[in-house]
Amino acid sequence: MIKHPIFAAGGLLAAFAVGGTGLVAFTHQMTDDKIAANERNALLASLSEMVPASSIDNDIVTDTVAVSDEERLGTAETLVYLGRKQGEPVAAVFTSVVPDGYSGPIKLLVAVKADGALGGVRVVSHKETPGLGDKIEVEKSDWVHGFDGLSLGSPPEERWKVKRDGGIFDQFTGATITPRSIVKAVKKTLLFYQDRGESLFQEKTAAKGEGDTVATSKMAG
């Protein structure tokens, strides 16, 4: 008689535990899916802003190549979207990562046109402080548009810094680390393109020629 309530209580607790675990797992999965969908939508919108559809005739979303240069691109493997027109390079859009943001890594899209000038920079995701570091978002300020049209020669490489460090880029009041880190990451992406930009398109073309399917190629860092 005494044991029955104990067993009943134990069974009830176990049921709650299983149900709670399942609910947490379900919520986590739904949240992850929503985040992934939001990032993809942001990606597509940003690609079309930086590389207008009228400037290319290929499917830039599927015409990609993977490259490896963690020092300059911020991650072990970086996906690059390639824009072409009549087979000629138009722009390469790098999924560069800022590893040293104030509150953690910052994911970027850095569009570099065939001539080495920037087609634009967009922040895909970040965890910077609301009201301070989040001014990197195009919806919050026009700061990120300051990169449009710039290149390693304009301004000179030594001026690729925030104004506090002797460069040309504005910093945010109370939040210098975030813009400083992004400027450095964009500059490193341009340096990568300067060294490897032409070969990105050549590597992908070679991969297409070797078979009927488009292969993703990797390049040494």
Side-chain angles (χ1 to χ4, degrees):
M1 294 293 293
I2 298 176
K3 293 182 178 180
H4 286 300
I6 296 175
F7 285 131
L12 188 60
L13 287 173
F16 274 119
V18 171
T21 301
L23 181 60
V24 170
F26 175 76
T27 302
H28 181 69
Q29 180 179 354
M30 293 298 291
T31 302
D32 284 351
D33 290 345
K34 185 175 181 179
I35 291 173
N38 288 342
E39 288 191 0
R40 176 170 174 76
N41 290 338
L43 164 68
L44 295 175
S46 296
L47 284 175
S48 64
E49 287 176 7
M50 297 187 293
V51 186
S54 59
S55 69
I56 59 176
D57 58 14
N58 69 319
D59 183 0
I60 192 172
V61 175
T62 60
D63 194 349
T64 62
V65 62
V67 298
S68 179
D69 191 332
E70 188 167 3
E71 169 59 29
R72 289 191 284 189
L73 301 178
T75 187
E77 185 172 273
T78 300
L79 189 66
V80 185
Y81 298 90
L82 303 175
R84 312 170 192 260
K85 190 157 192 176
Q86 297 182 349
E88 294 300 315
V90 172
V93 184
F94 293 80
T95 56
S96 302
V97 174
V98 182
D100 52 354
Y102 181 76
S103 300
I106 301 170
K107 294 181 181 180
L108 302 177
L109 287 177
V110 181
V112 187
K113 295 188 286 189
D115 62 2
L118 285 168
V121 176
R122 295 292 185 275
V123 175
V124 177
S125 67
H126 70 89
K127 297 180 181 178
E128 301 303 280
T129 307
L132 293 174
D134 65 350
K135 293 177 183 176
I136 57 178
E137 297 177 25
V138 70
E139 297 83 4
K140 300 290 178 66
S141 82
D142 61 357
W143 180 82
V144 76
H145 286 296
F147 290 103
D148 296 355
L150 301 185
S151 66
L152 289 177
S154 177
E157 285 188 44
E158 62 271 15
R159 299 297 306 281
W160 272 84
K161 303 173 184 177
V162 295
K163 290 179 178 177
R164 179 173 294 181
D165 300 332
I168 70 161
F169 297 91
D170 291 331
Q171 60 266 335
F172 309 142
T173 301
T176 301
I177 292 175
T178 303
R180 177 187 287 142
S181 297
I182 291 179
V183 169
K184 181 171 66 174
V186 173
K187 177 185 176 182
K188 285 185 175 182
T189 301
L190 286 173
L191 287 169
F192 179 92
Y193 187 84
Q194 179 177 262
D195 292 344
R196 310 274 185 87
E198 187 175 345
S199 66
L200 291 175
F201 294 89
Q202 292 175 346
E203 287 281 334
K204 191 58 180 289
T205 301
K208 285 184 179 181
E210 292 171 2
D212 296 330
T213 59
V214 177
T216 300
S217 68
K218 296 182 182 180
M219 293 164 36

